[in-house]
Structure formats: structure tokens, C-alpha cells
Amino acid sequence: MASLNSDPRLIRAYGYPYSAPEHDFLFRAGDVVPLDLSVDLGGRQPVIAVGSNRAPEQLARKFGPEHDRTIPVTWAWMQGYDVVYCAHLAGYGSVPATLHGSPGTEVRVAVTWLTEAQLERMHETENVGASYVYGTFDPDTINLGEGRPAVRAGCYITKCGALALDGAPVALAEIEARGRRFRSLPQAAKLALLHSMFGDHPEEEAWVLSLLGEENGPRRAHLTERLSETTMLFEDPRFRVVLG
């Protein structure tokens, strides 16, 4: 595992998917407060957050002062799925998450409740069309919670597929699941594994730093191309692609 020193770039890369409150909460202008049951979720689109979008610090990065910064976030369980690693690196150095079918598994996911403008902003940050597709699940796929209507919840699914280095996806150890079938690794161990397999620099931290930012996009693209040889695509009749 990398020492990280005090470099904020490495802290961000290795910290994914970042910490989130265990309870339903309201993200408001960077602050977090428990979600009052009286908060009206009507008119908002529920969007399943399988990775960092459930974390206040990531929401703060994506929704700056120029955006509506009030977002209710609730928790739910999905049956028959797990949260696994994508077959690409994010521009900030983490191996991001995606959803994948896993019969017998129940995984805990967050749900962000977005206005139309917030959804458009989230599409931008998820690079829909290039990195992810956006779609919706059948209403019976996820129980959004007592008293909340069964509606089509949105979700971002990677276009690259799930990383399957040993013939099966690898789950994020930081994400809670019951009856998990896939091997799980924390982010730091996943980056260390990729470095051991594909690193072109002897120092793991230096290798991660060499992949960060727009200027290193071609290096990340090359790594993604190599990872594409061992991927599993998401196929689910209950999921309908809307964009991407």
C-alpha cells in the first residue's frame, strides 16, 4: 500500500470511494445534516450511487457554488447485484466503481435525489457517452424505502465493462454487501495490483501520479486498452439505456 505522504492527489486517488454517513442525509452547500422525513422528494430523479457519488466530499467537488447544492441522499439495498471495479482509471487516479449482476448478493447503495438541472450536471461529471451510459432500472429492481414510490431509478454503468483479471469481477471492499460471491479488494490493494501487472515505473506512487490529469489522458487510455482484454460487460434486461 502506498504511504501517500501528504500529497492531496494521492490521498484522493487512494481514498475512493470516500466516506459517507451511515444514515440518510441532506447534502447542502457542502454541509451534511440528517435527512428530515418531511423533505419533499417529489419532482426529483432517484439516481443510484454505487461509488463516490454517495460521498459528501465528491458531491462538493461536482456541485460548486454555481450549482444547486441541495441534494437528499438515502440508502437502499439491491438484490442480485454487486459494486465492482471498472476496467479504467478515473482522471484523478482511482479505479472507479460500476454495478454488475451477482445472483444471491445484496449490496448497499446510496440514492441521490436530483433535480433536472442537477441530473444534467451529474451527466457531465460522469462523462456520459464516453465513459459511462446512463439508464434506468425497472421499478421493482430497488426498494427506495418505506413510503417512497416505486419508480425507475437511474444509474451510471461503465462502457468499458467490469475489470475481471481472474475471470470474474472484483468487488469494492469498502462497499457493504451480503452474500458476496466476488473477490473483494480495497482501493489501495487494487491500485497496487494494477501497478504490479501494468506499472511502467518501479515506484507505485510515481506510477499513479503519472496517470493523473488531462495531460496524461493518453497514458490512461493505453492502460484502459490493455485492461479491455479482461473485462465483463453489463447485460441486464431490467436496465434501459437512456443516454450514451
Side-chain angles (χ1 to χ4, degrees):
M1 181 182 298
S3 64
L4 305 190
N5 299 314
S6 59
D7 191 323
R9 297 172 299 171
L10 290 172
I11 292 173
R12 182 180 180 187
Y14 283 84
Y16 185 100
Y18 317 115
S19 61
E22 287 296 314
H23 53 77
D24 295 351
F25 64 93
L26 184 67
F27 172 83
R28 185 167 53 199
D31 294 328
V32 174
V33 298
L35 183 65
D36 192 311
L37 294 178
S38 65
V39 171
D40 183 15
L41 301 178
R44 291 177 175 268
Q45 170 66 42
V47 180
I48 300 164
V50 301
S52 63
N53 288 341
R54 79 204 208 298
E57 69 175 272
Q58 189 75 322
L59 292 175
R61 293 187 186 104
K62 294 189 173 191
F63 293 89
E66 70 274 22
H67 301 286
D68 179 355
R69 308 182 77 195
T70 300
I71 301 175
V73 182
T74 60
W75 290 96
W77 289 87
M78 290 187 74
Q79 294 186 349
Y81 300 92
D82 204 348
V83 174
V84 304
Y85 286 102
C86 298
H88 73 270
L89 256 68
Y92 46 87
S94 302
V95 188
T98 191
L99 206 62
H100 200 80
S102 179
T105 301
E106 187 176 27
V107 67
R108 192 171 189 239
V109 297
V111 179
T112 56
W113 295 80
L114 307 179
T115 65
E116 184 175 341
Q118 289 171 338
L119 182 60
E120 288 299 319
R121 171 57 182 164
M122 193 66 86
H123 289 344
E124 294 175 1
T125 67
E126 293 295 322
N127 201 15
V128 170
S131 298
Y132 290 87
V133 300
Y134 173 77
T136 59
F137 280 99
D138 289 349
D140 61 354
T141 306
I142 181 170
N143 184 345
L144 295 172
E146 185 176 355
R148 295 174 186 143
V151 297
R152 298 192 67 91
C155 191
Y156 297 98
I157 302 293
T158 180
K159 298 186 74 171
C160 293
L163 185 57
L165 295 178
D166 298 315
V170 179
L172 275 71
E174 294 89 346
I175 303 298
E176 184 179 0
R178 302 166 181 160
R180 176 164 275 163
R181 301 170 54 239
F182 301 138
R183 172 192 181 193
S184 67
L185 288 174
Q187 180 72 212
K190 192 63 174 179
L191 284 171
L193 178 61
L194 292 186
H195 173 255
S196 69
M197 298 179 68
F198 305 105
D200 54 5
H201 191 289
E203 295 291 335
E204 181 185 328
E205 292 180 4
W207 177 70
V208 171
L209 289 173
S210 75
L211 295 166
L212 305 185
E214 292 184 10
E215 67 276 15
N216 290 315
R219 284 178 54 81
R220 288 196 308 278
H222 177 67
L223 177 60
T224 297
E225 184 178 353
R226 297 184 68 186
L227 294 176
S228 68
E229 300 173 2
T230 53
T231 62
M232 296 183 68
L233 297 179
F234 180 82
E235 297 178 350
D236 192 321
R238 294 173 292 181
F239 181 74
R240 182 178 66 200
V241 175
V242 177
L243 292 172

